[in-house]
Amino acid sequence: MAASSSSTSSISLQTLRHQTTHSNVVPPPPNVSRSFSQPVRMPVFRSDVNLLNKKVSFTTCNVLAEYESEGGDDESSMNNNSNIKDDVFVTFFREAWPYFTAHRGSTFVVLLSAEVLDSSLLDPILMDISLLHGLGIKFVLVPGTHVQIDKLLAEKGREPKYVGRYRITNPDSLKAAMDSAGRIRLMIEAKLSPGPSLCGIRRHGENRRLHSNVSVASGNFLAAKKRGVVEGIDYEATGEVKKVDVLRIRERLDNDSIVILSNLGYSSSGGVLNCNTYEVATACALALGAEKLICIIDGPILDEWGRLIRFLTLEDADMLIRRRAKQSEIAANYVKAIGEEETSSILPKIGMTSNDRYTATFQNGVGFDNGNGLWSSEQGFAIGGQERLSRSNGYLSELAAAAFVCRGGVQRVHLLDGNVAGVLLKELFQRDGVGTMVASDLYEGTRMAKMDDLPGIRQIFKPLEDSGTLVRRTDEELLNALDSFIVVEREGQVIACAALFPFYEYKCGEVAAIAVSPDCRGQGQGDKLLDYIEKKASSIGLQSLFLLTTRTADWFVRRGFTECSIEDIPVERRKRINLSRGSKYYTKQLLPDTSGIRVDSMFA
């Protein structure tokens, strides 16, 4: 992926700050307009009831029009409300279908920050985790403990001691850590155990699964070694991750259990060591090869204007952290952990699959395989201490941990504000989500075409032109249209290409010449190009896309295109259509893009 440094110019690191939010603030509901031909507003049901006067008034809305207010005496009003609610439910459920398929069977490591565990936010989050577990997602939960440990120490008149990212775990701190970890584990197990509510479910018949508790597993999955004496400071019972028992964790996950991985590790001599929660979570995600690491924290990551940063490439995140290396000890530790090389050199090489990246792997219960030479002294990434507690650098600590894990091979890291109601569901089952995502592989190898790509494009086109799937183009025609082409490059070879021809007067664009090398089909390259084209079109103000096709209609229909008339094609394009080909015409309305992905800067 060739993101330019200018892509981060609009993001100030000063703005990765802590914003206090309140659990009683309900975020606006998701936009459901994507399934309707015209924009709609989310139905809001407000009722003013006066039982003494038996007068009821409702606010209702017409899904395809504006809100309407009317008296509640008419029974049809209540029926309309019920119908609208049902329609919205069906719409949401159908929109979530692709996500059900994508997430089923995936392994997510979820870090629950100590601040979230110490609040009323925990219950609904665990309820949603239980729900998602029922949909086939495998969870490893890593709960934080530092807030609870500090409270127990304060009750005994003791002061917590931190040096850098680590706590000095003296005997009092170790006892508090053991008490906190045990209480938190029991609390999570208790809250997860009941499973879903059985209210109203009996109408669908008896099912033994409904009466089965959610299985929760924990154990001695984490081996640790003493941090020891570093620069003359004895960290006492503070530990560092030595290994994660992947085999036994996988056994529990495959047996349909949610795994709780405590930050207490066990030494080879039989001692208990207090490890850094983020080091445990990041090491676990890397060792398991998890699809996602999700950190549920106590606030959002904002830019300098107070807006949520929804998306960062690994390169963006890396540059933001490196710029703060002199002011932030955690940022400096990140640079030290991954090396001083230039930002562009840390990115995965073009052509590597997700399984080939610098993934630390677990071998025979012995530890991590660092065959690539990376992270010879660290298996996870620790954050904490006074810098994180004071939030002097906002959420830079969490961002550093996210970048570290992406660097190690976990493709997606999500930093979510636990104050947002239903944050897990909204992040995982909506196109743009509600948190900050750091991704290592989005549009990898994709860039605008240049003169040297002409032979590669021509080579991809030839078999498709010979079969009549694509219109045959001369070299001159290709050269004249080159500025509109996007290519995907792998190991110096063009493996896929597509073009976007905008018609600004009509606020639409033509998608043309999507082609993938035969050796690379079935790998999602076409979807990558189409997704990029849609974001590019939105970024330049286009509201819809259209295309002409003779052989690939089904592929486009599955991706949201619908057949249309030639009259829906811009007039100037109509004049150039070869009617003898008998092409079919398809169009797609574009949704407003709030993902935060800046294609203009990534591929400039």
Side-chain angles (χ1 to χ4, degrees):
M1 145 182 19
S4 67
S5 59
S6 63
S7 63
T8 58
S9 60
S10 62
I11 302 175
S12 168
L13 269 176
Q14 300 175 356
T15 64
L16 299 177
R17 62 180 183 271
H18 175 67
Q19 171 173 296
T20 303
T21 55
H22 305 284
S23 58
N24 62 344
V25 176
V26 180
N31 185 356
V32 298
S33 65
R34 69 188 81 172
S35 294
F36 299 99
S37 58
Q38 299 293 331
V40 299
R41 297 179 182 176
M42 183 69 175
V44 177
F45 302 97
R46 175 182 58 80
S47 61
D48 300 317
V49 182
N50 186 332
L51 295 178
L52 294 178
N53 298 327
K54 296 184 179 180
K55 180 180 180 181
V56 184
S57 64
F58 293 93
T59 297
T60 65
C61 69
N62 183 334
V63 174
L64 297 178
E66 295 295 329
Y67 286 90
E68 299 173 356
S69 295
E70 51 186 297
D73 294 346
D74 187 355
E75 186 177 347
S76 66
S77 300
M78 289 182 281
N79 290 335
N80 286 340
N81 285 337
S82 178
N83 290 338
I84 291 169
K85 181 179 178 182
D86 289 345
D87 288 344
V88 171
F89 171 79
V90 171
T91 298
F92 281 172
F93 215 79
R94 287 174 176 166
E95 287 182 352
W97 179 16
Y99 302 100
F100 294 153
T101 303
H103 297 326
R104 187 186 303 119
S106 297
T107 299
F108 297 169
V109 175
V110 179
L111 184 145
L112 299 165
S113 72
E115 293 85 0
V116 169
L117 287 166
D118 198 48
S119 71
S120 60
L121 305 171
L122 182 62
D123 284 14
I125 290 172
L126 290 179
M127 182 186 300
D128 290 343
I129 287 173
S130 181
L131 184 159
L132 295 173
H133 170 70
L135 293 176
I137 298 175
K138 301 176 181 180
F139 282 102
V140 178
L141 308 183
V142 185
T145 58
H146 75 269
V147 170
Q148 294 75 13
I149 294 172
D150 290 351
K151 282 186 176 181
L152 289 176
L153 290 175
E155 290 173 2
K156 296 182 177 181
R158 303 286 192 270
E159 288 288 332
K161 298 179 181 178
Y162 294 93
V163 176
R165 299 173 289 170
Y166 292 93
R167 180 192 298 272
I168 295 179
T169 309
N170 55 30
D172 288 333
S173 297
L174 181 59
K175 185 178 186 305
M178 294 169 68
D179 289 346
S180 298
R183 291 177 183 178
I184 289 171
R185 177 180 60 80
L186 290 172
M187 176 181 64
I188 293 175
E189 288 178 352
K191 291 181 182 297
L192 286 174
S193 293
S197 169
L198 299 182
C199 178
I201 198 69
R202 283 185 56 83
R203 67 186 293 263
H204 295 287
E206 284 293 335
N207 191 320
R208 291 183 179 179
R209 290 194 300 268
L210 292 174
H211 303 283
S212 299
N213 293 339
V214 175
S215 175
V216 183
S218 57
N220 56 340
F221 303 135
L222 182 68
K225 60 184 179 66
K226 280 193 172 184
R227 182 163 174 79
V229 179
V230 180
E231 296 181 354
I233 297 172
D234 186 356
Y235 286 83
E236 301 189 44
T238 297
E240 293 180 339
V241 175
K242 183 179 180 181
K243 73 172 184 179
V244 177
D245 197 334
V246 171
L247 180 60
R248 288 200 294 152
I249 290 177
R250 281 289 180 199
E251 286 177 350
R252 272 54 170 194
L253 294 175
D254 292 341
N255 286 328
D256 204 30
S257 292
I258 294 175
V259 172
I260 299 177
L261 182 61
S262 168
N263 68 308
L264 293 181
Y266 305 97
S267 71
S268 57
S269 60
V272 178
L273 299 175
N274 178 39
C275 298
N276 181 279
T277 302
Y278 274 84
E279 184 175 342
V280 172
T282 53
C284 178
L286 291 169
L288 287 173
E291 280 77 14
K292 293 180 184 291
L293 170 64
I294 300 172
C295 301
I296 303 180
I297 54 181
D298 60 334
I301 295 180
L302 307 173
D303 65 15
E304 59 187 310
W305 297 283
R307 299 176 305 194
L308 178 68
I309 299 175
R310 291 183 178 272
F311 175 80
L312 289 170
T313 64
L314 173 57
E315 186 176 9
D316 286 344
D318 181 84
M319 286 190 291
L320 288 171
I321 298 162
R322 286 173 182 272
R323 290 175 184 172
R324 272 295 181 86
K326 293 183 179 180
Q327 295 82 25
S328 163
E329 182 182 356
I330 290 175
N333 281 318
Y334 166 84
V335 175
K336 180 180 178 182
I338 69 169
E340 300 283 352
E341 66 264 38
E342 292 295 323
T343 302
S344 59
S345 66
I346 73 159
L347 298 176
K349 295 179 181 179
I350 293 171
M352 297 179 82
T353 66
S354 58
N355 293 326
D356 294 329
R357 295 192 185 119
Y358 315 111
T359 305
T361 57
F362 187 81
Q363 289 198 336
N364 303 322
V366 178
F368 292 87
D369 172 22
N370 293 321
N372 48 52
L374 299 176
W375 305 307
S376 58
S377 61
E378 293 192 66
Q379 313 304 346
F381 189 78
I383 69 171
Q386 289 302 326
E387 179 179 336
R388 182 177 181 275
L389 292 173
S390 67
R391 289 297 180 201
S392 58
N393 287 300
Y395 288 95
L396 183 68
S397 299
E398 286 79 358
L399 186 62
F404 183 90
V405 169
C406 275
R407 177 74 169 89
V410 176
Q411 295 181 25
R412 301 285 190 274
V413 180
H414 301 258
L415 304 176
L416 307 183
D417 179 7
N419 294 284
V420 176
V423 66
L424 268 173
L425 301 181
K426 292 174 181 177
E427 179 70 9
L428 295 175
F429 292 91
Q430 292 187 143
R431 185 189 66 167
D432 297 330
V434 294
T436 299
M437 182 175 77
V438 181
S440 64
D441 66 341
L442 197 69
Y443 303 132
E444 181 186 337
T446 308
R447 57 173 174 78
M448 299 306 296
K450 53 190 180 182
M451 185 77 70
D452 293 342
D453 297 322
L454 279 176
I457 295 173
R458 171 62 72 200
Q459 185 176 359
I460 294 174
F461 279 177
K462 188 178 187 311
L464 298 172
E465 290 174 344
D466 291 344
S467 67
T469 303
L470 288 182
V471 175
R472 197 175 297 278
R473 293 168 172 83
T474 66
D475 289 342
E476 183 179 359
E477 288 172 332
L478 275 179
L479 184 60
N480 291 335
L482 192 62
D483 290 343
S484 299
F485 271 83
I486 305 103
V487 299
V488 179
E489 182 185 27
R490 177 180 291 173
E491 297 179 350
Q493 302 294 320
V494 173
I495 63 168
C497 64
L500 170 64
F501 300 105
F503 292 81
Y504 293 105
E505 180 181 351
Y506 301 91
K507 294 186 177 180
C508 66
E510 180 182 7
V511 180
I514 291 186
V516 179
S517 172
D519 295 337
C520 300
R521 290 174 189 167
Q523 300 175 8
Q525 301 298 339
D527 285 297
K528 180 193 296 186
L529 282 167
L530 182 59
D531 190 56
Y532 169 74
I533 285 173
E534 290 182 5
K535 285 184 168 54
K536 182 69 175 177
S538 291
S539 72
I540 59 177
L542 305 185
Q543 297 177 358
S544 65
L545 296 174
F546 70 89
L547 58 89
L548 285 67
T549 183
T550 57
R551 305 280 295 276
T552 58
D554 288 345
W555 191 89
F556 288 103
V557 167
R558 192 176 181 194
R559 285 147 183 84
F561 284 80
T562 56
E563 190 170 359
C564 65
S565 165
I566 191 173
E567 301 300 323
D568 297 316
I569 308 299
V571 175
E572 60 184 275
R573 178 65 179 94
R574 261 186 266 165
K575 295 177 181 177
R576 294 184 280 111
I577 294 176
N578 180 1
L579 297 177
S580 66
R581 280 179 57 83
S583 298
K584 301 291 185 180
Y585 313 105
Y586 287 83
T587 185
K588 179 178 182 178
Q589 297 296 313
L590 297 175
L591 298 172
D593 186 11
T594 59
S595 66
I597 301 172
R598 299 175 303 282
V599 295
D600 53 338
S601 60
M602 287 175 64
F603 300 97

